[in-house]
Amino acid sequence: MPGYDYKLLERPRRRVLCPLCGKPMREPVRVSTCGHRFCDTCLQEFLSEGVFKCPEDQLPLDYAKIYPDPELEAQVLSLAIRCIHSEEGCRWTGLIRHLQPHLGTCGFNVIPCPNRCSTKLSRRDLPQHLQHGCPKRRVQCEFCAGDFTGEAFESTLGFGYPKFISHEDIKKRNYVRDNAIFIRASVEIPQKILN
């Protein structure tokens, strides 16, 4: 990956910017023969084009003389940034090294539904989704005490009940259950079906 593309709180020193991508260096490496530094990925991509010269001074490069630069990496990870969700409303600011822990709790971060329903939503919308919208949530019917997934609960009553009457219809029409029989089980059938 090229350098970090975050909203910095202050303009960084040129020393921490990759000459190839122009961003604060991600996993910086140093060419020991000339001392120039680059993002590891940026330099690898440059060298993959078959040019084995330093992009800065055109001196020949030797793979064996390219080393990680932990001191420069520590400086880059100490740059102050805004959350990647700042435009959506998150007010967090902190160091690059603290971004991943923040995203683990950020209400604006998009996460998959823990029920594995294939929905992805912001963490702050998750409680509402789990309670009312997730098709794989567990729901207990107040009429039959059966345990259903949200999807099954909203579509049909299941065995022994008319399949065209949903749990929601029962609630809306105020059906009452007396043992296994529904009282007042009138259903309006459209005229075109009767013809």
Side-chain angles (χ1 to χ4, degrees):
M1 270 180 146
Y4 294 106
D5 194 17
Y6 300 137
K7 292 180 176 116
L8 300 165
L9 297 182
E10 297 177 5
R11 187 180 178 128
R13 293 181 308 171
R14 189 168 181 250
R15 178 178 195 273
V16 300
L17 300 178
C18 175
L20 293 172
C21 70
K23 300 172 185 172
M25 288 183 236
R26 185 186 303 262
E27 299 175 359
V29 292
R30 183 174 58 86
V31 179
S32 64
T33 52
C34 61
H36 290 114
R37 295 168 172 88
F38 308 92
C39 296
D40 183 39
T41 304
C42 291
L43 186 59
Q44 295 302 329
E45 285 178 14
F46 178 82
L47 296 175
S48 71
E49 295 172 8
V51 180
F52 296 102
K53 295 181 178 179
C54 173
E56 285 286 273
D57 57 21
Q58 303 303 311
L59 292 175
L61 279 183
D62 181 358
Y63 269 111
K65 301 205 176 180
I66 299 171
Y67 301 100
D69 192 336
E71 181 184 313
L72 182 58
E73 185 170 28
Q75 290 175 22
V76 171
L77 293 176
S78 295
L79 294 173
I81 60 168
R82 295 187 190 286
C83 178
I84 60 173
H85 301 292
S86 62
E87 290 181 7
E88 297 151 47
C90 183
R91 295 183 178 191
W92 179 87
T93 59
L95 306 180
I96 291 176
R97 70 168 37 95
H98 297 145
L99 178 63
Q100 287 308 314
H102 163 69
L103 291 177
T105 60
C106 178
F108 295 89
N109 200 32
V110 175
I111 57 174
C113 174
N115 290 340
R116 298 184 181 148
C117 74
S118 79
T119 301
K120 292 187 178 185
L121 61 165
S122 67
R123 183 175 275 109
R124 66 187 180 145
D125 296 333
L126 185 61
Q128 178 76 12
H129 170 75
L130 291 175
Q131 189 171 11
H132 301 291
C134 180
K136 295 195 176 190
R137 73 189 186 281
R138 299 308 300 171
V139 178
Q140 187 171 28
C141 175
E142 63 184 282
F143 299 101
C144 68
D147 190 37
F148 300 91
T149 64
E151 189 173 46
F153 180 76
E154 291 162 2
S155 64
T156 65
L157 286 174
F159 180 79
Y161 301 108
K163 295 216 183 271
F164 53 85
I165 301 176
S166 72
H167 281 82
E168 286 301 313
D169 287 337
I170 289 174
K171 283 186 196 173
K172 287 178 196 166
R173 295 178 185 176
N174 250 349
Y175 285 80
V176 178
R177 183 167 183 209
D178 180 24
N179 291 329
I181 301 168
F182 283 106
I183 301 170
R184 222 180 96 215
S186 63
V187 177
E188 295 154 18
I189 301 173
Q191 190 64 31
K192 63 181 178 180
I193 293 175
L194 294 173
N195 294 336

